[in-house]
Amino acid sequence: MESKIKELSKIATLIDKDILTTARDCAVGIHIGGNLTLSQIMAVLFFEVANLDPKNPHWEDRDRIILSKGHGNVALSSAMARRGFFPLEELEKFDTFNSMLSMHIDKHRMPGVEISSGSLGHGLSVAVGAALGARMDKAQWQTYCIISDGELEEGSVWEALMCGANYHLDNLTVILDRNMFTIEGPTEETMALEPLAEKLEAFNWFVLTVDGHNIEELLEAFNKKSPEKKPKFIIANTIKGRGVASVEGKADSHFFKISKEDAEKALAALKSADAEA
Amino acid sequence: MNDNKQTQSPLVGLPSRKAYGKVIVELGHQNENIVALSADLAGSVNLADFAKEFPDRFINVGVAEQDLMGISAGLTLAGKIPYASTYAVFAALRAAEQVRTDIAYNNLPVRIVSSHGGITFDVAGATHQALEDIAFFRTIPGMAVFSPADAVETAAILRATVDVKGPVYIRLSRVAEKTVYTEEFDYKIGQPDLLIPGEDVLMITTGVEVGETVDAASLLKERGVNAGVLNISTIKPLDSKAVVDILKDYKTVMTIEQHNIINGLGSAIAEIIAEANLNLKFYRHGIMDIFTTSGPYKDLLSYYKLDPVGIQDTLLQVLDS
Ligand SMILES: Cc1ncc(C[n+]2csc(CCOP(=O)(O)OP(=O)(O)O)c2C)c(N)n1
């Protein structure tokens, strides 16, 4: 277990690094804040929890991973590249003309991606559909859906939440990137979501709250079996812009191109954190 | 078009969405019933100044476009004139039924001012590019639909539509459009503007493509083709009689738009041509009924032949065919 956690932490650090270098080298900027929140979640999901075959991305029994917050595509791309779905060099072309990897997930250009996203609030309905389909076929594969707190402001997400519970989809796990910000500010000021865990429980979901940057807590939450045939909802508390000192935990971290100096500092901090671990 | 520096509008050169940000503040001072709303995109749609100037008259509904339109409808019940803004793709598609049934069917004076029309949200790709919004809005009874060419025309349209009784849709861009108008003017709803008369050949265009088409006309002139340019910024209500009066002097007409060629400006013109029995060669140029890719704006414009060279080449092909 100890070594597993260490290994996954290392992968998360590599994802952080890919996000920072992409944010530095890209033309116009990336959604840096809401990608740095996803590194540990992606590492755990792609390298431990999910059953995948990068060489056979259409394998029928693969688990389905749906990144509903499509602007989290840098973290996803890094994890998928490092897991072997496509070459890591593709990240260097991020946001160039017709590139495989771009601001939002494009199924037509990215091998192994289940569904294109970028318009917020769609993914959970799709995930409910996938889980219902698996159920019909008595298939064992799981569906994982990563959503943002901003998406919880879309009504469609609550329709899907109702549906997931109504159909007792215990083959469905939602991971919420709870970084407390949308573009315009803190969610609790712009459109309050709390008390969130209570709301989700009232919607009949099995709700777990973890530190979204803590590999061990994430693993534990993924492994926990949900009681009473409830779908699982993991609230992963995260820090928007984590690791970039100037914007960490601020709305300003949402989208920008990081300066060479700031990237250097953040990358150095990653290195020393890694050495300590 | 006039280059007289003394009368040049300070808006010249701004993206239309930034012109909106300035003019909405001016309108807010003139009419205290004006309120503005956005769905977590006040910065992008340039409502931040309005929010600062009139904090009690600005509402962020969160990331919730359907709610944005429903709430705007509701505000009119209290006598307000809501300006609801989000990206064009979400205004048209995500909130379509709220727009149609709550706002339009009840004939409410909501002004839906969208930004990031066409492919102007370049790197964001198909999920964020709006190529169906004109089709949707012009299909809704009672909806006035505008697609200004640049910042100055945006300001003119905004000022001219404050008192329109029913709903209004105005499509703006993310990028700075090429400048077409330099002086402020009084906008006449429905009136097409023949920017370049040309001879025999006419290019009809709208929105961010107007400036591109004007430049294409210069390129064509060098090639010996004297093509005219007609700006249609009121897509609806379109003065079809005025359009017919202009078109009857031409042998070849091509429409150019940053929209699916189905049901946008090209279709609107095709309807007029067919119903008036005009005998001319006609071609619709735009996004050819495909989903677009992502990339830098210049690359996309060139790939979809919506830059001056692409427009020139397309027209030459039409003339050759
Ligand atoms: C339907 C829809 N409306 C608006 C947007 C524009 N937009 C992009 S990201 C975002 C909100 C960012 O907050 P959140 O979703 O919580 O993402 P995170 O903080 O995790 O990056 C918005 C409003 C969008 N992509 N889709």
Side-chain angles (χ1 to χ4, degrees):
Chain A
M1 188 65 178
E2 192 89 327
S3 70
K4 178 101 275 169
I5 291 167
K6 243 194 185 143
E7 184 197 322
L8 292 172
S9 303
K10 279 224 166 83
I11 293 166
T13 305
L14 290 174
I15 297 174
D16 275 338
K17 191 186 122 251
D18 291 341
I19 296 166
L20 291 167
T21 50
T22 307
R24 180 194 63 197
D25 301 338
C26 65
V28 287
I30 65 163
H31 289 92
I32 186 162
N35 273 284
L36 287 167
T37 49
L38 296 173
S39 302
Q40 288 74 21
I41 294 168
M42 291 294 175
V44 168
L45 205 44
F46 275 89
F47 287 82
E48 179 63 21
V49 171
N51 213 359
L52 303 164
D53 180 2
K55 295 289 164 271
N56 182 12
H58 301 293
W59 173 41
E60 236 176 61
D61 289 325
R62 70 189 183 278
D63 289 342
R64 272 49 167 189
I65 298 177
I66 291 167
L67 177 59
S68 184
K69 48 169 285 189
H71 60 284
N73 198 21
V74 192
L76 177 79
S77 298
S78 163
M80 290 184 74
R82 290 184 178 280
R83 185 75 168 79
F85 282 90
F86 41 79
L88 194 58
E89 290 74 52
E90 290 294 338
L91 261 181
E92 290 164 20
K93 291 180 250 163
F94 196 84
D95 270 353
T96 57
F97 178 70
N98 206 26
S99 48
M100 177 193 285
L101 309 176
S102 54
M103 185 186 282
H104 300 111
I105 300 167
D106 192 324
K107 178 180 168 142
H108 301 292
R109 289 180 263 155
M110 283 175 80
V113 152
E114 301 291 348
I115 195 132
S116 305
S117 62
S119 178
L120 298 171
H122 291 233
L124 189 49
S125 300
V126 178
V128 166
L132 280 168
R135 160 88 54 85
M136 283 172 200
D137 290 349
K138 299 197 170 50
Q140 292 308 301
W141 52 266
Q142 299 289 307
T143 300
Y144 299 98
C145 181
I146 303 162
I147 67 171
S148 65
D149 41 14
E151 293 192 275
L152 282 169
E153 297 176 2
E154 293 280 5
S156 54
V157 176
W158 296 90
E159 295 172 20
L161 284 167
M162 250 187 297
C163 196
N166 183 70
Y167 287 103
H168 305 290
L169 295 176
D170 57 1
N171 56 351
L172 171 62
T173 300
V174 173
I175 307 99
L176 169 67
D177 176 358
R178 182 67 170 123
N179 60 44
M180 308 297 286
F181 287 94
T182 59
I183 296 180
E184 298 279 306
T187 59
E188 298 318 291
E189 285 172 28
T190 57
M191 192 53 58
L193 293 169
E194 297 295 337
L196 189 53
E198 286 87 335
K199 283 183 191 170
L200 296 163
E201 272 159 9
F203 269 59
N204 271 329
W205 282 63
F206 176 51
V207 182
L208 297 164
T209 303
V210 303
D211 173 351
H213 298 297
N214 184 311
I215 303 273
E216 194 173 359
E217 288 188 28
L218 282 167
L219 280 174
E220 213 173 286
F222 276 112
N223 288 332
K224 205 167 243 168
K225 220 181 139 29
S226 65
E228 309 157 49
K229 292 197 141 297
K230 285 183 180 184
K232 192 194 288 184
F233 196 108
I234 302 173
I235 299 176
N237 288 319
T238 56
I239 300 167
K240 196 159 177 171
R242 180 175 180 266
V244 181
S246 53
V247 295
E248 188 176 282
K250 293 188 186 141
D252 288 347
S253 71
H254 186 68
F255 182 96
F256 66 102
K257 179 173 160 67
I258 193 170
S259 68
K260 279 211 171 69
E261 303 82 73
D262 280 357
E264 222 40 66
K265 274 188 228 159
L267 288 165
L270 277 184
K271 231 182 212 154
S272 63
D274 221 24
E276 264 169 50
Chain B
M1 280 181 284
N2 188 326
D3 292 327
N4 188 338
K5 285 278 179 305
Q6 258 138 31
T7 53
Q8 175 163 318
S9 161
L11 301 172
V12 167
L14 292 179
S16 50
R17 64 180 168 129
K18 298 225 161 120
Y20 170 50
K22 292 191 183 300
V23 175
I24 188 70
V25 174
E26 162 202 314
L27 297 177
H29 280 292
Q30 290 163 10
N31 186 334
E32 60 178 24
N33 282 325
I34 288 180
V35 294
L37 301 91
S38 184
D40 199 45
L41 288 173
S44 283
V45 300
N46 289 92
L47 284 176
D49 288 349
F50 185 95
K52 214 180 252 161
E53 192 80 5
F54 308 106
D56 298 337
R57 288 156 57 188
F58 172 75
I59 299 160
N60 174 17
V61 302
V63 193
E65 295 76 13
Q66 301 180 16
D67 220 18
L68 174 72
M69 298 306 174
I71 290 170
S72 297
L75 282 161
T76 67
L77 304 185
K80 306 295 178 196
I81 305 173
Y83 281 70
S85 290
T86 180
Y87 296 161
V89 67
F90 305 138
L93 302 180
R94 188 58 159 274
E97 204 204 349
Q98 277 79 4
V99 168
R100 172 194 177 270
T101 300
D102 304 341
I103 295 172
Y105 182 45
N106 290 295
N107 196 32
L108 302 178
V110 175
R111 284 80 181 91
I112 301 162
V113 184
S114 78
S115 76
H116 298 51
I119 54 173
T120 64
F121 203 175
D122 43 18
V123 289
T127 57
H128 283 61
Q129 292 165 3
L131 300 167
E132 311 87 352
D133 57 320
I134 290 174
F136 168 70
F137 281 102
R138 85 178 188 93
T139 311
I140 303 303
M143 181 72 67
V145 180
F146 301 91
S147 164
D150 65 5
V152 171
E153 191 172 34
T154 298
I157 289 173
L158 283 164
R159 292 176 187 131
T161 50
V162 175
D163 297 322
V164 168
K165 292 270 182 288
V168 170
Y169 176 66
I170 305 175
R171 179 206 230 206
L172 307 180
S173 298
R174 188 183 76 92
V175 300
E177 297 88 346
K178 288 180 175 167
T179 298
V180 177
Y181 300 95
T182 53
E183 281 179 49
E184 313 260 337
F185 61 97
D186 287 331
Y187 187 81
K188 295 221 168 45
I189 293 175
Q191 189 174 295
D193 186 7
L194 191 60
L195 296 170
I196 301 172
E199 216 177 298
D200 292 344
V201 184
L202 183 66
M203 300 188 283
I204 306 182
T205 182
T206 191
V208 64
E209 283 300 312
V210 177
E212 303 295 332
T213 305
V214 167
D215 283 353
S218 305
L219 295 181
L220 283 157
K221 196 149 205 187
E222 287 165 26
R223 298 271 199 118
V225 178
N226 187 6
V229 178
L230 180 67
N231 172 22
I232 298 215
S233 47
T234 307
I235 307 276
K236 188 183 172 179
L238 184 51
D239 183 345
S240 46
K241 197 181 157 304
V243 174
V244 170
D245 279 345
I246 296 168
L247 291 197
K248 61 180 170 25
D249 294 333
Y250 295 90
K251 294 195 179 94
T252 303
V253 168
M254 177 167 94
T255 53
I256 300 116
E257 60 192 314
Q258 258 187 41
H259 190 276
N260 193 331
I261 53 157
I262 295 179
N263 288 343
L265 172 71
S267 295
I269 299 298
E271 290 156 16
I272 291 174
I273 291 173
E275 285 175 353
N277 273 317
L278 296 182
N279 184 16
L280 44 79
K281 191 187 252 189
F282 177 68
Y283 185 77
R284 288 169 300 151
H285 182 42
I287 301 295
M288 309 308 279
D289 198 25
I290 50 163
F291 284 110
T292 41
T293 188
S294 66
Y297 187 61
K298 253 183 68 192
D299 295 350
L300 292 184
L301 270 191
S302 156
Y303 183 72
Y304 295 112
K305 297 190 181 299
L306 288 167
D307 61 354
V309 171
I311 295 167
Q312 164 199 261
D313 292 351
T314 308
L315 184 71
L316 290 176
Q317 266 175 17
V318 171
L319 289 173
D320 265 355
S321 65

